[in-house]
Amino acid sequence: MQEWANQLCENRQFGSKMTDSKYFTTTKKGEIFELKAELNSDKKEKKKEAVKKVIASMTVGKDVSALFPDVVNCMQTDNLELKKLVYLYLMNYAKSQPDMAIMAVNTFVKDCEDPNPLIRALAVRTMGCIRVDKITEYLCEPLRKCLKDEDPYVRKTAAVCVAKLHDINAQLVEDQGFLDTLKDLISDSNPMVVANAVAALSEIAESHPNSNLLDLNPQTINKLLTALNECTEWGQIFILDCLANYTPRDDRESQSICERVTPRLSHANSAVVLSAVKVLMKFMEMLPKDLDYYGTLLKKLAPPLVTLLSAEPELQYVALRNINLIVQRRPEILKHEMKVFFVKYNDPIYVKLEKLDIMIRLASQANIAQVLAELKEYATEVDVDFVRKAVRAIGRCAIKVEQSAERCVSTLLDLIQTKVNYVVQEAIVVIKDIFRKYPNKYESVIATLCENLDSLDEPEARAAMIWIVGEYAERIDNADELLESFLEGFHDESTQVQLQLLTAIVKLFLKKPTETQELVQQVLSLATQDSDNPDLRDRGYIYWRLLSTDPVAAKEVVLAEKPLISEETDLIEPTLLEELICHIGTLASVYHKPPSAFVEGSRGVQHKRLPGTAGSGESAESPDTGSAAGATEAPPAVIPSQGDLLGDLLNLDLTPPTTTGPPPPTSSGMQMGAMDLLGGGLDSLMGDESEPPPIPLRTDTPQSPQLPHQSPSPPDYSPTELGGDLGGNPAMGAGFGAAPAVMPASFNAPVGGGLDDLFDLGGGVGLPMGAYNPPKTIWLPAMKAKGLEITGVFVRRAGVIQMEMTLNNKAMSVMTDFAIQFNRNSFGLAPAGPLQILTPLGPNQSIEAALPLSTVGPVMKMEPLNNLQVAVKNNIDVFYFSCQYPISMLFVEDGKMERQVFLATWKDIPNDNEAQFQIKDCHLNSDAASNKLQSSNIFTIAKRTVEGQDMLYQSMKLTNGIWVLAELRVQTGNPNYTISLKCRAPEVSQCVFQNYEAVLKN
């Protein structure tokens, strides 16, 4: 439809006056035959009129496909207007008449070489819009010519055509090399060509997230920024969106990009402004906060955002939804702009509610008086929904700004005195939250609340009032009468009120047992015997059993001290907020949901994240290989979503064992496939026979009493216990900065029952032997370094990586002033201190040096992954060499994964990430292999034997928090091992395999 609209609008430029409406008014019968005759007329004017009539009929929904051959014949014309109309017809009907459409191919090819650039562009654009497989192969040659056309208008049209062709036949585009041509167009001299090339590549990259088509580097970024100033507004949006996907190398580059993007903030198009804000919000993450420019940038961001609020309501709403995200991330940007968010009388309700939300987020001690006066005003409006939100907002202010709590409570009491029903009900709901935040401070208002008991008819308000009566029963003389009045219509109440009433009466009984025994029996009977709601019934039974078996325990449970409620309960969860900031100016920022939640077929949607703060050393090229240490802030702990581990946990029957004995024989028909072993086989082994010893819960986790027929809770894997991110699954840990995983107390700890065989490493696995260290190799030959020869090896001792070197002086002069430096590398390896060579190195002398290394240096993906480029300086010159470190140097000591976590992670990592290798001529048995590997921090979690084949399930963890899982198969008498590796960063697998080979064969 967009194409039609564009084409029809363009037709207006070619002399078609506003009289064209006459073509839409005719309703003659037998028209097709007349049109056919007119289309074949010799007179050009008559032919053009006929085509216009055909297009008009097509637009209003008439089927004019019968005229296809006649319309196609009209293509052979020099008249641009007529050609456009024919092309428009072709686009619409080519799909239903593919065989006829082939007739038009010759004309397209010819038009692509027309002297008029408009016709060349029109031909290539139309060919791209005709989604017929038979035609696409004919499109390749004309498209290749148009991509290199001398006219920029043709080139920019051809760039978009590549994206359309890729959508029809991706393989064809790759085979024909169009993607490389598109990449070349990013360096084009014309800014519109650059913008369209970026737009086309971005669209292709979206459907192929791992293709790395837009290989952004400082040179490309510079070209894009240059084009940014000169292209159209939509071109600017494409370029800004592309810039937002780039991660600068350091804060200096980040500042430079910000400086060049900032002028876009004053653009008239709000979409350009929001795209510029997105880029700046992302790159600000890398700027040190003490930098003068950081403060300047904050000040520059406020005015454009404020200006967006003077647009029409629909645009205001989009701006407000985006501002809501920005304020949650950086409230300081708009902290002085509170008045802009005050509600106007003629604002639509959706704008009012959004402004209200932002006002609360910006509320602080400095402006609270102003905000409260405004909110009190809103609470007297006529719009019921808005009034309710305003009253809630007063409560949120009290909870957020402690100094204002008293003033908020008195404002709420004033509103209760108005006796407006819905105002009173909302006020009671928020006062309940204020009591939770400030216990024993404002209870004097309870009497006023109780006066309004009869007017409450909404479930939430009734539940809030019942909670207040139950919580403060000892201060309310007639608490039992008040609760009894609610009990009369117990079965007519909503579930929320019934649950609250049950708890409140039990609280009352525990505080005044003698006076309320009858009342508690009545409510327990109603909840357990007369109710068909399972939640209510279960809670009733719990209270009944608690009260009848141990009243003291009941008191401790029911009257336990409650945690204070947090000040902002409606903030977006931090990792989601980061992702939404990366989508500012898109639908995701309006819905406040990630694209994967609402884009159909969104498997290809990449989850975006903000870059680490300055110095965190996260890699732009490989998000999974960001440096572990050095991040200035530990990422917030994320609660695992229910779906992530639920499937795996449901497979594990962890009920207590009925008997203990030898493990049952394993099935001989078991397949050898890794997924089968860890899918069905391992589940069944971990199921029926036994239960692992209970994992002690963290001290801050309340333990709920176990009921009959209720499965125990799944183990509480906190993100910190998992020791870092298992490669990207939010359920598996919350980022790279986590603490080391808890090591098991003993390798031989008894597990019990059927798991002994699988998870007890005692049988045949002795103490770990010394780690394998390869011999020193020549890194820098003397002939390349003016007589300095360096041999060396990388070792890991007691958790410290060291570079052990021997420096030989084969020159005739003395060498002094040694220093060493590393280039950026895949895992952030960097010297932890200077190279300690304190004495001069004389001719024919050698000296040993051990250089400790850290993993907090800058990160850049290398080829191969474990390549390290080194510069060594002395008094003679600077010399360069590169060497490869064994990846086992990066395997940390806490790389032993918990059993269930291993199982869940193996299932969670896609099968595409699994790599299989053969280790040949290895003559160790499985126990010796396990021992040897453990000395290199490759830990065996489980061992199984199936049909004479030992299977070792192993885990290792890299310094940057990436986990690698392995299944090693050892067949007795067979010197060839098979190893399957799974990792969220599959590029690591090759290095890990090489390490296995080196350790096991030496």
Side-chain angles (χ1 to χ4, degrees):
M1 284 306 289
Q2 183 67 43
E3 288 286 344
W4 283 17
N6 289 347
Q7 294 266 17
L8 285 168
C9 289
E10 284 182 30
N11 285 344
R12 293 264 173 236
Q13 299 165 11
F14 295 97
S16 305
K17 304 287 182 277
M18 295 305 284
T19 53
D20 283 359
S21 58
K22 67 186 179 194
Y23 298 112
F24 293 89
T25 55
T26 173
T27 54
K28 280 191 290 184
K29 290 189 178 174
E31 199 176 12
I32 296 286
F33 296 107
E34 288 180 24
L35 286 172
K36 200 176 183 72
E38 287 176 25
L39 286 168
N40 292 310
S41 165
D42 296 333
K43 294 179 181 171
K44 282 187 181 177
E45 238 2 86
K46 209 167 187 182
K47 202 178 261 193
K48 191 162 82 172
E49 292 291 304
V51 174
K52 283 187 179 181
K53 287 177 190 172
V54 170
I55 296 294
S57 301
M58 181 178 86
T59 308
V60 296
K62 284 186 189 170
D63 182 15
V64 283
S65 55
L67 298 169
F68 199 93
D70 306 288
V71 176
V72 169
N73 286 338
C74 299
M75 280 176 77
Q76 307 286 349
T77 175
D78 298 332
N79 186 311
L80 187 56
E81 186 184 3
L82 179 55
K83 200 175 273 291
K84 279 193 169 196
L85 291 168
V86 174
Y87 279 176
L88 202 55
Y89 176 90
L90 263 174
M91 275 190 260
N92 193 41
Y93 283 118
K95 200 157 191 179
S96 59
Q97 309 253 358
D99 296 330
M100 297 291 252
I102 295 285
M103 291 163 51
V105 165
N106 283 337
T107 312
F108 280 131
V109 173
K110 201 167 124 196
D111 281 357
C112 284
E113 294 178 0
D114 195 275
N116 185 340
L118 288 175
I119 290 181
R120 294 202 298 275
L122 180 64
V124 80
R125 174 162 71 182
T126 310
M127 283 179 87
C129 292
I130 295 176
R131 302 178 64 82
V132 175
D133 290 337
K134 290 181 181 177
I135 285 188
T136 48
E137 54 200 67
Y138 296 105
L139 171 61
C140 295
E141 263 329 294
L143 180 57
R144 185 174 284 107
K145 286 179 186 168
C146 289
L147 282 166
K148 297 191 173 156
D149 198 279
E150 60 190 25
D151 192 286
Y153 181 75
V154 180
R155 292 200 301 277
K156 88 177 179 79
T157 310
V160 177
C161 188
V162 173
K164 288 178 180 174
L165 185 59
H166 188 274
D167 193 38
I168 303 166
N169 190 340
Q171 195 57 49
L172 182 72
V173 170
E174 286 164 32
D175 295 345
Q176 293 285 341
F178 289 144
L179 294 180
D180 296 325
T181 316
L182 262 189
K183 288 179 192 173
D184 295 342
L185 287 182
I186 289 180
S187 310
D188 198 276
S189 57
N190 186 289
M192 267 321 296
V193 177
V194 176
N196 278 19
V198 167
L201 283 169
S202 301
E203 191 164 314
I204 294 168
E206 267 180 30
S207 57
H208 293 69
N210 300 321
S211 57
N212 198 21
L213 282 174
L214 275 163
D215 186 16
L216 299 175
N217 53 47
Q219 291 74 29
T220 315
I221 293 297
N222 193 35
K223 288 168 189 166
L224 294 182
L225 287 165
T226 308
L228 186 63
N229 298 322
E230 299 171 42
C231 56
T232 66
E233 50 197 26
W234 290 110
Q236 291 181 30
I237 293 165
F238 289 134
I239 290 175
L240 287 167
D241 286 349
C242 181
L243 286 174
N245 293 326
Y246 176 63
T247 304
R249 291 167 304 175
D250 50 34
D251 55 343
R252 192 179 300 166
E253 188 186 2
S254 191
Q255 181 177 338
S256 159
I257 294 171
C258 288
E259 283 169 352
R260 294 176 72 177
V261 167
T262 309
R264 300 300 109 213
L265 292 173
S266 53
H267 200 284
N269 186 321
S270 49
V272 176
V273 174
L274 280 177
S275 291
V277 168
K278 169 168 60 183
V279 174
L280 297 173
M281 283 292 290
K282 186 171 178 182
F283 289 0
M284 275 172 81
E285 296 289 331
M286 294 190 71
L287 298 177
K289 292 192 176 176
D290 53 359
L291 197 70
D292 290 342
Y293 180 71
Y294 181 85
T296 312
L297 195 53
L298 283 179
K299 285 178 192 159
K300 283 184 178 174
L301 273 168
L305 293 172
V306 170
T307 307
L308 290 175
L309 298 181
S310 55
E312 50 267 37
E314 293 79 9
L315 278 179
Q316 273 189 57
Y317 179 71
V318 172
L320 287 164
R321 291 294 279 175
N322 281 278
I323 288 169
N324 200 325
L325 296 174
I326 293 163
V327 164
Q328 287 184 53
R329 185 77 190 174
R330 298 205 180 280
E332 62 270 29
I333 292 176
L334 290 161
K335 65 181 178 186
H336 300 304
E337 304 291 345
M338 177 63 86
K339 282 190 175 172
V340 181
F341 300 104
F342 286 175
V343 170
K344 297 181 184 143
Y345 75 95
N346 59 348
D347 279 338
I349 182 69
Y350 54 88
V351 170
K352 285 181 177 177
L353 297 179
E354 207 54 43
K355 282 185 173 179
L356 202 56
D357 201 33
I358 295 169
M359 279 170 66
I360 309 304
R361 298 205 192 287
L362 292 175
S364 63
Q365 203 177 336
N367 58 23
I368 194 71
Q370 201 180 14
V371 172
L372 273 179
E374 194 73 12
L375 291 175
K376 193 172 178 183
E377 193 72 28
Y378 300 161
T380 59
E381 291 264 342
V382 290
D383 190 323
V384 177
D385 278 344
F386 182 52
V387 171
R388 285 177 182 280
K389 290 277 184 188
V391 176
R392 292 260 169 137
I394 294 170
R396 280 173 63 190
C397 284
I399 289 165
K400 187 176 181 191
V401 185
E402 190 169 344
Q403 295 78 358
S404 73
E406 200 158 328
R407 192 182 294 176
C408 290
V409 171
S410 74
T411 305
L412 289 168
L413 287 175
D414 290 347
L415 292 171
I416 288 173
Q417 297 308 328
T418 62
K419 299 291 182 191
V420 177
N421 187 281
Y422 54 86
V423 175
V424 172
Q425 309 214 52
E426 288 295 334
I428 285 173
V429 172
V430 296
I431 286 174
K432 180 202 78 170
D433 289 340
I434 293 171
F435 285 168
R436 284 283 308 276
K437 176 74 175 172
Y438 309 109
N440 306 317
K441 212 166 177 187
Y442 301 109
E443 281 74 16
S444 54
V445 306
I446 290 174
T448 313
L449 302 183
C450 290
E451 291 167 16
N452 294 281
L453 211 60
D454 298 336
S455 64
L456 305 181
D457 54 14
E458 290 170 14
E460 197 176 0
R462 287 172 78 80
M465 193 66 226
I466 291 166
W467 181 87
I468 291 167
V469 173
E471 190 67 18
Y472 300 103
E474 68 279 14
R475 304 181 190 204
I476 303 169
D477 299 334
N478 61 338
D480 51 341
E481 291 171 26
L482 295 174
L483 291 176
E484 201 167 357
S485 68
F486 282 104
L487 207 56
E488 288 161 11
F490 186 79
H491 288 305
D492 301 328
E493 299 285 4
S494 70
T495 307
Q496 182 183 6
V497 176
Q498 289 176 334
L499 288 165
Q500 202 58 264
L501 191 53
L502 173 60
T503 304
I505 290 175
V506 172
K507 284 180 186 173
L508 177 65
F509 172 71
L510 291 168
K511 291 173 181 177
K512 302 178 179 179
T514 49
E515 306 153 41
T516 55
Q517 196 154 359
E518 204 175 304
L519 190 62
V520 81
Q521 281 180 336
Q522 191 185 346
V523 78
L524 287 172
S525 166
L526 284 167
T528 55
Q529 291 163 25
D530 304 343
S531 170
D532 56 0
N533 183 311
D535 288 343
L536 185 63
R537 206 169 54 233
D538 288 353
R539 191 183 290 193
Y541 277 127
I542 289 175
Y543 285 152
W544 200 319
R545 284 176 186 159
L546 268 173
L547 293 171
S548 56
T549 53
D550 192 348
V552 178
K555 208 164 190 170
E556 284 175 9
V557 172
V558 181
L559 300 180
E561 197 172 317
K562 287 158 198 64
L564 301 183
I565 59 174
S566 67
E567 50 185 58
E568 286 283 0
T569 50
D570 61 338
L571 284 174
I572 293 173
E573 187 270 322
T575 46
L576 174 58
L577 181 62
E578 280 195 10
E579 187 173 352
L580 293 177
I581 292 285
C582 296
H583 289 293
I584 281 177
T586 67
L587 265 181
S589 66
V590 179
Y591 288 154
H592 287 190
K593 289 179 181 177
S596 54
F598 60 86
V599 177
E600 254 184 61
S602 57
R603 281 176 306 165
V605 173
Q606 273 187 307
H607 291 285
K608 298 183 180 180
R609 281 188 60 189
L610 293 176
T613 43
S616 69
E618 280 200 30
S619 160
E621 290 79 22
S622 173
D624 271 315
T625 52
S627 172
T632 51
E633 292 175 36
V638 182
I639 299 166
S641 63
Q642 207 169 1
D644 288 327
L645 277 173
L646 201 58
D648 297 325
L649 289 168
L650 289 176
N651 290 338
L652 305 176
D653 181 7
L654 297 175
T655 45
T658 49
T659 58
T660 53
T666 50
S667 158
S668 59
M670 179 73 72
Q671 285 189 349
M672 294 294 128
M675 278 314 289
D676 177 61
L677 290 171
L678 285 157
L682 201 52
D683 275 3
S684 58
L685 272 162
M686 294 182 69
D688 308 312
E689 288 83 34
S690 66
E691 177 200 17
I695 296 171
L697 293 168
R698 297 192 307 243
T699 50
D700 57 343
T701 311
Q703 296 198 25
S704 55
Q706 288 281 327
L707 292 180
H709 313 298
Q710 181 185 354
S711 299
S713 327
D716 182 43
Y717 299 120
S718 71
T720 48
E721 284 173 330
L722 295 182
D725 193 342
L726 300 175
N729 180 359
M732 290 302 177
F736 288 150
V742 179
M743 287 289 283
S746 157
F747 285 115
N748 301 350
V751 182
L755 296 178
D756 279 350
D757 171 63
L758 183 58
F759 286 124
D760 181 10
L761 304 184
V765 182
L767 289 169
M769 53 179 76
Y772 159 68
N773 289 323
K776 283 185 178 175
T777 52
I778 295 176
W779 285 341
L780 183 64
M783 59 188 290
K784 286 190 176 178
K786 299 181 181 175
L788 174 66
E789 183 190 80
I790 300 178
T791 58
V793 67
F794 292 87
V795 296
R796 185 182 182 96
R797 293 201 176 93
V800 177
I801 305 170
Q802 287 192 324
M803 192 176 183
E804 294 188 347
M805 295 176 282
T806 304
L807 284 77
N808 284 308
N809 183 355
K810 297 191 174 180
M812 301 304 292
S813 53
V814 176
M815 295 182 180
T816 58
D817 305 330
F818 285 92
I820 193 165
Q821 199 171 350
F822 294 176
N823 197 358
R824 294 191 297 164
N825 53 81
S826 305
F827 294 92
L829 281 178
L835 183 60
Q836 298 285 349
I837 298 177
L838 305 174
T839 54
L841 186 59
N844 296 318
Q845 283 186 345
S846 64
I847 194 165
E848 300 286 332
L851 178 70
L853 307 181
S854 72
T855 53
V856 297
V859 174
M860 182 175 79
K861 190 175 177 185
M862 301 297 287
E863 201 57 51
L865 210 59
N866 57 341
N867 193 27
L868 182 65
Q869 295 174 343
V870 184
V872 173
K873 176 185 100 56
N874 63 13
N875 59 325
I876 296 169
D877 205 344
V878 179
F879 310 106
Y880 302 91
F881 65 90
S882 67
C883 53
Q884 292 181 15
Y885 48 90
I887 203 164
S888 59
M889 294 305 99
L890 307 168
F891 293 165
V892 294
E893 283 66 21
D894 59 343
K896 186 167 187 183
M897 195 180 267
E898 292 282 350
R899 299 186 295 263
Q900 280 99 331
V901 181
F902 179 96
L903 172 62
T905 310
W906 185 283
K907 288 181 175 180
D908 203 49
I909 296 173
N911 288 349
D912 297 347
N913 287 20
E914 184 175 349
Q916 255 195 10
F917 304 95
Q918 288 277 332
I919 301 173
K920 296 184 176 173
D921 301 316
C922 196
H923 300 278
L924 299 172
N925 66 20
S926 60
D927 292 339
S930 176
N931 249 349
K932 227 172 181 192
L933 292 165
Q934 190 168 314
S935 65
S936 294
N937 291 340
I938 298 171
F939 298 97
T940 302
I941 290 160
K943 175 183 167 184
R944 278 179 90 210
T945 306
V946 179
E947 297 185 336
Q949 188 176 42
D950 287 345
M951 315 238 185
L952 299 179
Y953 299 106
Q954 298 174 320
S955 72
M956 60 225 84
K957 184 173 130 192
L958 294 162
T959 48
N960 59 6
I962 291 177
W963 287 87
V964 184
L965 310 186
E967 182 206 56
L968 183 65
R969 302 185 200 170
V970 181
Q971 182 90 42
T972 313
N974 183 351
N976 297 340
Y977 294 0
T978 304
I979 182 168
S980 298
L981 297 171
K982 261 194 166 191
C983 178
R984 290 195 189 281
E987 55 266 40
V988 173
S989 298
Q990 183 65 37
C991 293
V992 174
F993 158 65
Q994 288 164 358
N995 186 70
Y996 262 84
E997 217 172 20
V999 172
L1000 290 172
K1001 286 189 176 182
N1002 291 286

